């Protein structure tokens, strides 16, 4: 089964701070890879109730179905490669192909027949190897929002936290806690629907 434990920490950035970090690391915005996170949920928010998120990530012409679940440390991610036709079928019908992700969803008691595509968050991401981990500079666009964040994936919670906080301090930036992308996406979706 394609599973991994992801230990990541993140801090929101202003556009100015994002640009300053790119300059400080000698990175060009043209180096960003665009990825589309296509999110799924049920009308009763069964995934949210299970503190989980379900997406199909479209990147460089490939598609990966991923379920993120809580874990003792970080998040447990279950991945499954998809064909484009499987992504299009999931988007239109809400039907996922059999495999590891469906097995995990069944274990969570998520009603598969109620899954539906709810929208897309697009991220322009620059990734670099940094301090035994992966540092990501993200610009995300969803609905009418554009936000910026710095994300570090480390080998332990302590390693991830200390690396991110040290880096921010080096650039005289304050740590700004944030929800993950799927939560920010749904929060904004809910605000728009209520308006």
């Amino acid at each position: 089964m394609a599973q991994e434990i992801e230990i990541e920490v993140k801090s929101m950035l202003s556009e100015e701070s994002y640009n300053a970090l790119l300059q400080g690391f000698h990175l060009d915005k043209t180096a960003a890879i665009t990825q589309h996170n296509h999110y799924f949920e049920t009308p009763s928010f069964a995934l949210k109730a299970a503190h989980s998120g379900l997406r199909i990530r479209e990147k460089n012409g490939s598609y990966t179905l991923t379920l993120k679940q809580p874990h003792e440390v970080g998040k447990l991610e279950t991945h499954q490669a998809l064909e484009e036709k499987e992504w299009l079928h999931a988007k239109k019908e809400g039907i996922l192909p059999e495999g590891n992700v469906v097995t995990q969803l069944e274990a969570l008691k998520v009603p598969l027949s109620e899954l539906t595509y709810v929208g897309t968050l697009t991220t322009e991401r620059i990734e670099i190897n940094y301090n035994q981990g992966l540092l990501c500079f993200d610009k995300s666009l969803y609905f009418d929002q554009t936000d910026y964040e710095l994300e570090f994936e480390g080998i332990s919670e302590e390693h991830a936290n200390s690396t991110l906080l040290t880096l921010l301090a080096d650039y005289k930036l304050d740590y700004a806690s944030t929800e993950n992308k799927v939560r920010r996406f749904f929060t904004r979706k809910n605000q728009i629907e209520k308006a």
Side-chain angles (χ1 to χ4, degrees):
M1 187 181 295
Q3 287 187 318
E4 63 179 332
I5 306 300
E6 180 187 66
I7 301 170
E8 66 179 22
V9 291
K10 50 189 70 187
S11 177
M12 291 303 288
L13 299 169
S14 66
E15 183 176 7
E16 181 183 29
S17 299
Y18 170 82
N19 289 329
L21 282 169
L22 290 187
Q23 188 174 2
F25 277 86
H26 308 290
L27 298 170
D28 193 304
K29 290 177 186 176
T30 59
I33 302 294
T34 299
Q35 57 192 34
H36 306 285
N37 289 342
H38 305 295
Y39 293 120
F40 291 78
E41 183 54 281
T42 68
S44 62
F45 294 98
L47 286 157
K48 182 181 180 184
H51 306 287
S52 300
L54 182 66
R55 70 164 189 238
I56 293 174
R57 175 170 284 170
E58 178 184 349
K59 180 179 171 182
N60 293 331
S62 66
Y63 301 84
T64 305
L65 176 62
T66 298
L67 174 66
K68 288 192 178 195
Q69 301 171 251
H71 194 262
E72 299 92 60
V73 177
K75 293 271 187 188
L76 172 65
E77 293 190 348
T78 304
H79 305 289
Q80 185 176 330
L82 298 183
E83 299 291 328
E84 183 179 21
K85 63 184 180 186
E86 292 174 312
W87 141 240
L88 293 172
H89 187 60
K91 180 180 181 180
K92 185 177 177 189
E93 307 292 338
I95 298 172
L96 302 177
E98 288 298 317
N100 298 335
V101 172
V102 164
T103 301
Q104 291 292 108
L105 288 168
E106 288 172 339
L108 286 174
K109 305 279 192 275
V110 171
L112 297 174
S113 63
E114 294 177 20
L115 282 172
T116 183
Y117 163 74
V118 292
T120 297
L121 178 147
T122 297
T123 298
E124 296 168 9
R125 169 172 281 187
I126 301 173
E127 292 181 348
I128 62 169
N129 293 319
Y130 182 79
N131 193 29
Q132 298 178 292
L134 188 67
L135 186 62
C136 302
F137 303 82
D138 287 352
K139 174 184 178 181
S140 294
L141 303 97
Y142 49 104
F143 305 111
D144 57 352
Q145 299 287 107
T146 300
D147 65 34
Y148 302 86
E149 72 184 314
L150 185 65
E151 186 176 290
F152 182 72
E153 191 171 327
I155 51 180
S156 70
E157 278 186 296
E158 184 182 352
H159 170 247
N161 279 313
S162 65
T163 299
L164 183 72
L165 292 174
T166 299
L167 192 160
L168 290 170
D170 288 347
Y171 282 84
K172 297 179 174 44
L173 299 174
D174 293 326
Y175 169 76
S177 67
T178 179
E179 294 183 300
N180 58 28
K181 287 179 179 69
V182 67
R183 292 286 165 250
R184 297 201 309 268
F185 171 89
F186 276 103
T187 297
R188 187 61 190 143
K189 183 177 185 348
N190 189 40
Q191 289 169 342
I192 289 169
E193 289 171 354
K194 285 183 174 175

